[in-house]
Amino acid sequence: MALVNNTACVGVIESIQDHLPTLYFVFSRGRTELLAEELSREWDFLLPEEKSRVSNVIERAEQVSPGLFGGRRKHLRRLLLQGIGYHHAGLSPALKELVENLYEARLIFVLFCTETFAVGINFPAASTVFDATRKWDGRNHRGLLNREFFQMAGRAGRRGFDRVGHVYVNIDEKFPEQTGFFDESQVEPVRGRLVISPNTALSLLHWKTDAEIERYLSQNLAVYQNNREIASLAGELETVEEKIFTLRKNFCADKDGPACPMLREKLKKELNRLRNRRRRHKPEIPGRIAEIKSILSQPAKGCLHHDCRDAHDEITALVERKKELVRRGRQLKKYAVDYHQEFRRMCNLLERLGFIEGKTLLPRGLFALHLHVQEILVTELVFSGILREAAPAEAAAILAGIDYQPGRDEVVLPGAYNMDNAALLRNELLDAGVPEHLCVWSPLPGPLAEAWYNNATFEELQKRCNLHEGDIFSTIRREIDVLRQIERAAGEDRSFRQAMNGIRNMLDRDEVAVLI
């Protein structure tokens, strides 16, 4: 691995040009595009024959997906013809597939990508470059975890092509701590995490006996891992304490007494510090100086104190390790989740809302049993009559906002429906004590789903907003999945099921169509 002083990507690529192709990891969608454009002004990696191959691949992709390079992607065609590309979640599925195919065919020499490219896609490179080692995780900026770094860095080195893989990190001089660094032996373990969602609680109540529920809550992977780590820490702590006890036997009877060479050496250093001009006028200093001189005036012991010093140094290191183990044990106990309490809390909430009575699922509960996203909110949208009474296009607009968290600068032109009734329902649920993460909804994408339901083209959707096309795809496809869940939950309510099916069929078309 090599460090590169913070510089323009053009300089970075010039420095590593013997180790291409490279995956250039960037932690911002916009920056992947910005850097790709910057590099294109200086570099063109493709020979005429390679450009022809890229043109053929692009032409075939456009035949399948007309308008592939519309909107903000007009410049991407030119970049690809120079052997440069970018890849992030904001691209349409067809465009992501095109970029992946060109990279796999070794027709992209520098691919600027977000970390999603390193997950689930087996595309190695001769080298990987990190634009930075800090990222925004949704709440704040933080350094990469060891496992995140090595997941991405591990793409360097192509079997059968490269003897070694090269990893480069672009270091910003303003953040020297970024040079710390990553240790493969310290890769964080993958930890189990059980989330007691409304669907989890309803499923346990409906399908499991009390004994099975108890086993599920007390013997899941998260509990097992936490208990095992606590036990492991306790065992190591006991071993450390035993070592400290054994090492203390190496000390002689004069340890820490006036004759001890180690103590006398320590006191001499303290005396030098106390004699410092800035300290000597403090009222307590003269007394301490006199005390040290009195101790040092006594006869010293003539031992070489090697055994004592070695034992002292080792004990010091062990004491620090002991502190770390105690601190880690406290953290584990503090953040350990009481799943029995979480389950009871969720059951109490569901009972207050009329989803269950004891262990019995009421109509709302039986409906929510078939939902796996925002179960409470979706169920209330149905049982309140909001979805049943809405026009199909309005229902499509409302459901597009399910589980949608808008970005800070996202803008969508308004549609025909204000969706105030859905917003009011959400506020009522929050007032009733439903946690905010179980009431995630936004009116922002509604006009897009409304327009798509009314047969707008995808290009028209793009003109109505500043969202990436990939975000538009994921929003409507998520709604299609929610509609499929609602159809399943409707059960014997044939008219409502058919109404939801009709909306889904209108949305599930053309570029957005979900292939299953």
Side-chain angles (χ1 to χ4, degrees):
M1 184 175 69
L3 304 181
V4 181
N5 287 333
N6 189 39
T7 185
C9 67
V10 174
V12 174
I13 297 304
E14 185 174 351
S15 300
I16 68 167
Q17 58 185 296
D18 292 334
H19 300 127
L20 300 180
T22 187
L23 293 177
Y24 204 119
F25 286 105
V26 184
F27 300 107
S28 159
R29 294 181 185 181
R31 189 160 170 77
T32 63
E33 300 175 24
L34 180 69
L35 293 180
E37 186 65 36
E38 179 183 308
L39 185 64
S40 74
R41 290 195 287 268
E42 301 287 339
W43 286 80
D44 186 337
F45 297 96
L46 300 185
L47 299 172
E49 184 273 333
E50 291 171 322
K51 290 181 184 292
S52 178
R53 289 172 59 195
V54 171
S55 293
N56 291 336
V57 174
I58 289 176
E59 187 177 327
R60 289 196 296 271
E62 287 185 302
Q63 289 174 354
V64 177
S65 304
L68 192 61
F69 293 96
R72 68 176 75 192
R73 305 301 167 209
K74 293 177 181 178
H75 68 291
L76 182 54
R77 181 201 303 271
R78 171 177 52 80
L79 295 177
L80 295 175
L81 287 167
Q82 293 177 235
I84 301 167
Y86 59 80
H87 186 287
H88 57 66
L91 298 183
S92 67
L95 206 46
K96 283 193 284 189
E97 183 180 7
L98 170 62
V99 172
E100 290 163 11
N101 289 341
L102 289 173
Y103 182 82
E104 192 172 23
R106 307 192 192 285
L107 292 172
I108 293 179
F109 282 76
V110 180
L111 181 60
F112 296 92
C113 54
T114 55
E115 61 187 308
T116 54
F117 194 80
V119 181
I121 303 176
N122 185 27
F123 294 141
S127 65
T128 56
V129 177
F130 287 81
D131 184 52
T133 56
R134 292 173 63 81
K135 74 170 189 176
W136 175 257
D137 65 2
R139 290 176 295 182
N140 49 47
H141 283 95
R142 63 165 176 80
L144 294 176
L145 301 176
N146 282 290
R147 68 166 177 263
E148 292 172 331
F149 177 81
F150 287 107
Q151 173 70 26
M152 289 178 271
R155 296 295 172 180
R158 300 163 298 171
R159 186 183 297 274
F161 288 88
D162 306 306
R163 291 179 59 246
V164 295
H166 298 269
V167 181
Y168 301 91
V169 179
N170 194 19
I171 296 298
D172 190 334
E173 293 177 353
K174 296 179 182 177
F175 299 99
E177 71 276 8
Q178 292 182 14
T179 59
F181 207 68
F182 301 99
D183 185 347
E184 201 163 7
S185 67
Q186 298 298 318
V187 170
E188 300 82 6
V190 176
R191 298 194 62 82
R193 181 171 177 265
L194 175 62
V195 177
I196 305 295
S197 67
N199 180 273
T200 302
L202 292 168
S203 297
L204 289 173
L205 292 172
H206 191 65
W207 302 111
K208 302 296 181 182
T209 65
D210 289 341
E212 289 172 327
I213 293 173
E214 169 61 29
R215 187 160 58 249
Y216 180 84
L217 297 174
S218 60
Q219 298 181 20
N220 58 75
L221 177 61
V223 171
Y224 168 75
Q225 286 181 321
N226 198 68
N227 291 342
R228 184 180 64 176
E229 190 166 353
I230 289 175
S232 175
L233 288 173
E236 187 178 352
L237 185 60
E238 183 178 350
T239 301
V240 167
E241 289 174 337
E242 288 176 356
K243 286 182 179 179
I244 292 174
F245 178 78
T246 302
L247 286 167
R248 282 181 174 151
K249 294 179 181 179
N250 291 323
F251 297 143
C252 66
D254 292 322
K255 173 73 167 58
D256 293 332
C260 176
M262 289 175 58
L263 176 64
R264 295 174 73 87
E265 183 178 317
K266 180 180 177 182
L267 291 174
K268 287 176 182 178
K269 291 179 180 179
E270 183 181 354
L271 187 61
N272 288 333
R273 290 197 303 272
L274 294 175
R275 284 171 171 166
N276 186 293
R277 288 184 179 181
R278 287 175 296 179
R279 296 174 178 268
R280 72 172 56 162
H281 298 299
K282 292 184 178 181
E284 70 274 14
I285 297 304
R288 179 57 181 164
I289 290 176
E291 181 184 0
I292 293 174
K293 285 182 176 180
S294 175
I295 296 172
L296 294 176
S297 67
Q298 300 180 41
K301 187 177 179 181
C303 73
L304 296 176
H305 62 272
H306 293 314
D307 290 343
C308 283
R309 182 174 294 282
D310 291 345
H312 177 270
D313 291 345
E314 194 168 348
I315 286 174
T316 300
L318 288 170
V319 167
E320 288 303 312
R321 178 58 180 164
K322 179 180 176 180
K323 290 179 181 177
E324 183 182 338
L325 292 171
V326 170
R327 185 165 54 249
R328 176 62 181 155
R330 286 174 180 166
Q331 287 178 336
L332 284 174
K333 291 176 181 177
K334 179 180 179 181
Y335 294 108
V337 178
D338 184 341
Y339 291 110
H340 293 81
Q341 184 180 15
E342 292 285 306
F343 178 66
R344 287 193 298 273
R345 186 180 293 123
M346 182 58 70
C347 288
N348 290 338
L349 174 63
L350 292 171
E351 191 149 22
R352 288 202 316 272
L353 296 173
F355 281 61
I356 63 174
E357 186 175 319
K359 283 196 66 176
T360 303
L361 271 61
L362 301 178
R364 278 179 166 82
L366 290 169
F367 187 92
L369 182 65
H370 299 279
L371 304 176
H372 301 280
V373 58
Q374 301 298 318
E375 301 95 309
I376 292 174
L377 178 59
V378 173
T379 298
E380 291 301 327
L381 283 170
V382 173
F383 277 73
S384 67
I386 290 176
L387 284 183
R388 292 179 183 275
E389 296 167 8
E394 182 181 8
I398 292 171
L399 290 173
I402 296 294
D403 211 32
Y404 188 91
Q405 295 178 303
R408 182 175 55 189
D409 301 318
E410 290 183 356
V411 177
V412 176
L413 295 179
Y417 305 100
N418 58 31
M419 295 175 281
D420 287 346
N421 50 1
L424 180 61
L425 173 67
R426 177 178 179 272
N427 290 334
E428 290 173 351
L429 290 173
L430 292 173
D431 291 341
V434 178
E436 193 161 353
H437 71 276
L438 299 180
C439 279
V440 179
W441 178 84
S442 169
L444 186 127
L448 297 177
E450 174 198 330
W452 188 248
Y453 177 88
N454 288 324
N455 283 311
T457 65
F458 196 82
E459 186 176 357
E460 289 172 335
L461 293 192
Q462 290 179 282
K463 292 178 180 178
R464 294 181 62 88
C465 67
N466 66 349
L467 276 65
H468 287 276
E469 66 271 27
D471 294 329
I472 301 174
F473 271 94
S474 62
T475 297
I476 297 178
R477 285 183 171 181
R478 181 172 57 246
E479 178 175 0
I480 291 170
D481 182 58
V482 170
L483 282 161
R484 186 176 284 110
Q485 294 177 37
I486 293 174
E487 289 175 52
R488 191 164 53 243
E492 299 300 319
D493 190 343
R494 184 176 178 182
S495 62
F496 182 63
R497 188 174 69 249
Q498 288 179 338
M500 295 297 103
N501 179 263
I503 296 173
R504 178 167 66 86
N505 288 335
M506 289 295 292
L507 298 178
D508 195 3
R509 63 178 174 83
D510 302 335
E511 298 101 317
V512 174
V514 178
L515 303 176
I516 57 173

